[in-house]
Every structure is written in structure tokens, then in C-alpha cells.
Amino acid sequence: MDFDGGHKRVFSRLGGPSGAAAAAADKNQRVCSFWKSGKCNRFPCPFLHRELPASGPATTNGSGGAKRFADDRGFSGPTSRRDPNFNSHNNSWGRVGGNKVVRKTEKLCNYFVQGSCDYGDKCRFLHSWSLGEGFSMLTQLEGHQKVVIGIALPSGSDKLYTGSKDETVRVWDCASGQCVAVVNLGGEVGCIISEGPWLFVGMPNFVKAWNTQTNADLSLSGPVGQVYALAIGNDLLFAGTQDGTILAWKFNVATNCFEPAASLKGHTLAVVSLVVGGSRLYSGSMDHSIRVWSLETLQCLQTLTEHTSVVMSLLCWEQFLLSCSLDQTIKVWMAAESGNLEVTYTHNEEHGLLTLCGTPDLEGKPVLLCACNDNSVRLYDLPSFSERGKIFAKQEIRAIEVGPGGLFFTGDGTGQVRVWKWSVESATTS
């Protein structure tokens, strides 16, 4: 199985201009004057919330292209070297109007959530499932009876797959939004991802693998307890398990099956998040730590212990690793001169964080979606962490996935899946 050929990586979530093209684009944009005075509160602002980069030749990688930390996909993985081209990012994390943060979004009306608010338009609280400009909800998919754990769109398929703790995977037709199949698995779904035509579902004590083109159906044994996280890198499938082990399989083309390749040990409690970036595998655990593994040797290179609670989700963007935790923080990690990752910025929330997802808006600007355990998702511009808006739900949102054409999806604790779409924003002036 070719995990690389023509298919988007699971960890690659952002396209758009880079290097010299991005610098040229920046020159044609204006810096928001309200941001400079610390007064901009628009969601979102069409102007830059950062200073324009200083002019000068770009450092190159020796092959004529602008030097980048990993590759030319925005949400990718850090390597072991610092890239001098990104010092401006390192200095601008969280800098919004001279370190002033934008105002918090309005509070959602609890009676509206329950469908019983008598004030209607006169209510002083929000009567909407989202707040902010530039995105809107298209539809909602009903059917799951318990929390939606994962959402996946296999390459070349016109179907959306959602996995839930109700022990089912539902298959949705992307054109009609109708549920066309329900697969009863006999156990709670712990996670679900796709790579190329393959769909992988983490289950108690095994991983289900379906090829959506050939209908091949495989069960990969070996995990002890629930499989909470899956990731793919270097032609290996990795599974984070309840006992703290990370198992790896390699696809054998001759036998058309996945063969055990390695067992990575080090975490003392369940592994609940995995991401691949560059030549590294990153794992987050209930033991509050992040481990950095070499994809070549499968050896642990570094253990990060700055979080004080469960590391729920990991994401790679440019040369940075982002991690979120129930300790109410998002930490941004960057490789130091030694090659080891160090925290370069910490973003604080008022609630525990559950999952991270990166996506470009219609202008190609990177946006971070952060699900919190107060039943909301925050949308932030990167690297400033200026707030773009907020999405609300009746219960915790545990799954966020990006689709084609400006679509993204959320799944919550009620079993509801919502479909969102970025929209063209009206231009304003500063």
C-alpha cells in the first residue's frame, strides 16, 4: 500500500503560499491600524494582525526554494533544526495589539440550547450555534446515539465516515447528507482515521482496517485495551493503546495484509493522541507527557513533561508542535539549537482542551480550531491567537475534521455531526 502517493497526509492540514510567494503576498496586504493600537475586535479582521516582514533575501535550502523547517505543507511536522526564517513567528505567538487579547465572545443562552427561551430576539444571550464571520453551518447529520469520536473522508470516496461510542460507524452520502449504511462493531470506537482509500478504526483490543475501494476488511490484533489514537508515517500504521504501548504495523503488498512491525514502550498510562510530522512521531498520554520518536529507528528521542494533565491532542504546524491538555493550556513547541523541543509560547484557556485541528480559511490563512470541555470550539488565527469566532454544542465536541472545498466537520457528545463551510467575507476598511 502506498501511503504517500498522491494522498494528503493525515497530519497535513494546510496549503497556500509559502516562501517567496508568501512574502510577495504579504507586501500586498495592509496591517490593521486598530490592531496596532490594541483596539481591533472584528471576527475576523480582513487586515494583518502582525507586522509585515522586513524585506531581504530569503534563506534557501540549496535547491533554489525558500528554506522551510520540514516541507511546504503548512500543517506538517518539526524536525530537529531551527529555521531562522521563522524567528518572526517565534516572536509573534499570542501578540494581539501589544499583547492585548481580543474580547471574549458572547455567552450562549442555556434556554436556547434546551429549546425553551421565551425572550426570542430580545434575549441578551446568544441564540446561535456559532459566533463570528467567515463561516456558517450547512447542515447537521443525525443518527449516532452517543458521542462522536472521529470523522474521516477516505481519498477517492464520496462518503463521509463517523465513529461513535454507540459501537457503530455510520456512512454518509456527501451529496445528499443521508446515512447510507450503519456498521455495528460490537465495541466502542476509540478513534477513526483515513489514509488514501483505507479507513482505520480503533477498537478495544484490535484495529479494523477497511479498503473503501476494494472492500478488503482486516482486523489487526495486538493492542491491549482500547485503541485511542491512530497515525500513519513512513509507511507504518501506529496505534496508541490503553496500556501505554504504541504498536506499529507495515502493509505487505504480497500478502495484502498488515504485519506487526514494532512495539514502542515508554508511556506509563494510556496513549490518547498521536501525530506524525517530518521524521518524527509524537505521542501524548494520560501520564501528562509527550514523547518524541524517530520514524527511522522507532527510538524515543525526547520526553516533554511541561503539561500537568492529560495531553489530549497534538498538531504540527510549520516547524511548530502544538499540544493541548486538560490543564487548560495549548503549548507551542519549537526546536532549540540543541535539536530538543522547548516551549516557545503557552496559550491559556478557561477550560480544559479536548482536540486541535488546523485548517486554512478561503484566503489560505491558517486557523486553529480548539475544542474545549465547556461544549465549544474556539477559532484562532495563527500565530497571533487572535479570536476568529466560536462554535457551540449541547455537549462536548470530541471530533473535528477538515474536508475539501472549505468544509469542516464537528461531532459532539449528543451524537450529532455538523457540517460547516468557510464563506467569503465582505471587505471592510481600517
Side-chain angles (χ1 to χ4, degrees):
M1 180 177 66
D2 180 8
F3 283 117
D4 296 314
H7 301 312
K8 289 195 306 181
R9 287 285 187 184
V10 171
F11 58 85
S12 178
R13 299 300 190 207
L14 179 65
S18 60
D26 277 348
K27 291 179 181 178
N28 296 325
Q29 299 185 66
R30 291 173 53 193
V31 177
C32 175
S33 59
F34 292 101
W35 170 79
K36 295 178 72 173
S37 62
K39 299 177 181 178
C40 185
N41 59 8
R42 286 179 291 189
F43 295 113
C45 179
F47 300 97
L48 291 176
H49 277 206
R50 58 183 170 86
E51 297 296 343
L52 291 172
S55 59
T59 304
T60 63
N61 57 14
S63 60
K67 181 177 177 183
R68 292 176 64 83
F69 196 91
D71 55 28
D72 284 333
R73 292 169 294 189
F75 284 100
S76 57
T79 64
S80 59
R81 294 168 52 195
R82 182 190 298 272
D83 187 339
N85 284 343
F86 288 91
N87 286 337
S88 59
H89 275 325
N90 192 31
N91 294 331
S92 59
W93 283 104
R95 294 180 66 87
V96 183
N99 286 332
K100 294 182 180 179
V101 297
V102 297
R103 63 178 175 84
K104 294 293 183 181
T105 53
E106 287 89 342
K107 185 179 185 302
L108 183 67
C109 175
N110 291 328
Y111 294 101
F112 164 76
V113 171
Q114 301 165 13
S116 59
C117 184
D118 296 328
Y119 288 97
D121 294 339
K122 296 181 180 179
C123 181
R124 64 191 184 98
F125 296 108
L126 190 64
H127 279 209
S128 174
W129 294 112
S130 66
L131 183 67
E133 297 176 355
F135 65 96
S136 59
M137 186 175 71
L138 292 183
T139 189
Q140 48 195 35
L141 310 178
E142 309 276 359
H144 283 298
Q145 302 303 306
K146 292 184 179 180
V147 57
V148 175
I149 292 297
I151 304 169
L153 293 90
S155 177
S157 174
D158 60 352
K159 303 295 188 295
L160 176 75
Y161 295 78
T162 57
S164 168
K165 283 192 175 183
D166 65 8
E167 304 186 359
T168 70
V169 168
R170 285 183 171 261
V171 186
W172 310 85
D173 182 82
C174 291
S176 66
Q178 298 299 309
C179 181
V180 295
V182 180
V183 183
N184 292 290
L185 298 172
E188 289 188 357
V189 173
C191 55
I192 180 171
I193 67 169
S194 64
E195 181 73 5
W198 286 91
L199 185 75
F200 301 99
V201 183
M203 302 286 298
N205 305 313
F206 69 98
V207 175
K208 290 288 288 185
W210 285 298
N211 188 307
T212 58
Q213 293 179 355
T214 66
N215 293 322
D217 184 349
L218 307 174
S219 292
L220 314 183
S221 60
V224 176
Q226 181 63 275
V227 175
Y228 290 114
L230 293 164
I232 290 170
N234 199 27
D235 289 339
L236 292 170
L237 170 67
F238 296 96
T241 66
Q242 189 172 347
D243 71 347
T245 303
I246 302 170
L247 297 180
W249 293 267
K250 191 174 184 67
F251 188 71
N252 187 320
V253 178
T255 60
N256 197 38
C257 66
F258 290 84
E259 298 178 347
S263 177
L264 285 60
K265 296 183 180 294
H267 286 294
T268 58
L269 294 174
V271 175
V272 296
S273 52
L274 291 171
V275 71
V276 169
S279 61
R280 302 287 185 261
L281 170 72
Y282 305 91
S283 57
S285 171
M286 287 185 179
D287 65 13
H288 306 177
S289 74
I290 301 168
R291 284 183 173 258
V292 184
W293 310 82
S294 166
L295 284 179
E296 297 300 323
T297 66
L298 300 182
Q299 298 299 306
C300 183
L301 304 176
Q302 189 182 359
T303 302
L304 313 175
T305 58
E306 278 76 357
H307 281 295
T308 59
S309 189
V310 181
V311 181
M312 294 294 291
S313 185
L314 300 166
L315 179 70
C316 294
W317 177 63
E318 300 286 5
Q319 81 274 34
F320 302 100
L321 173 71
L322 281 68
S323 60
C324 77
S325 169
L326 294 180
D327 66 9
Q328 303 183 9
T329 68
I330 299 172
K331 293 188 181 294
V332 181
W333 307 80
M334 184 177 180
E337 297 294 344
S338 65
N340 287 333
L341 291 179
E342 297 178 354
V343 175
T344 188
Y345 177 70
T346 297
H347 172 80
N348 294 288
E349 286 285 350
E350 297 176 354
H351 304 275
L353 290 126
L354 303 174
T355 188
L356 301 175
C357 185
T359 177
D361 63 13
L362 290 185
E363 296 179 348
K365 297 177 181 177
V367 180
L368 180 67
L369 286 75
C370 318
C372 298
N373 61 9
D374 66 341
N375 308 342
S376 74
V377 172
R378 271 78 163 176
L379 287 77
Y380 293 110
D381 285 323
L382 291 182
S384 66
F385 271 94
S386 58
E387 191 171 299
R388 291 281 294 262
K390 188 184 284 189
I391 290 171
F392 304 97
K394 291 183 179 180
Q395 294 184 24
E396 291 177 352
I397 292 174
R398 298 300 301 272
I400 309 174
E401 182 60 36
V402 177
L407 296 176
F408 61 97
F409 308 86
T410 57
D412 65 30
T414 67
Q416 188 175 79
V417 176
R418 287 184 171 145
V419 184
W420 305 84
K421 185 176 178 63
W422 290 105
S423 56
V424 178
E425 303 151 18
S426 59
T428 56
T429 59
S430 287

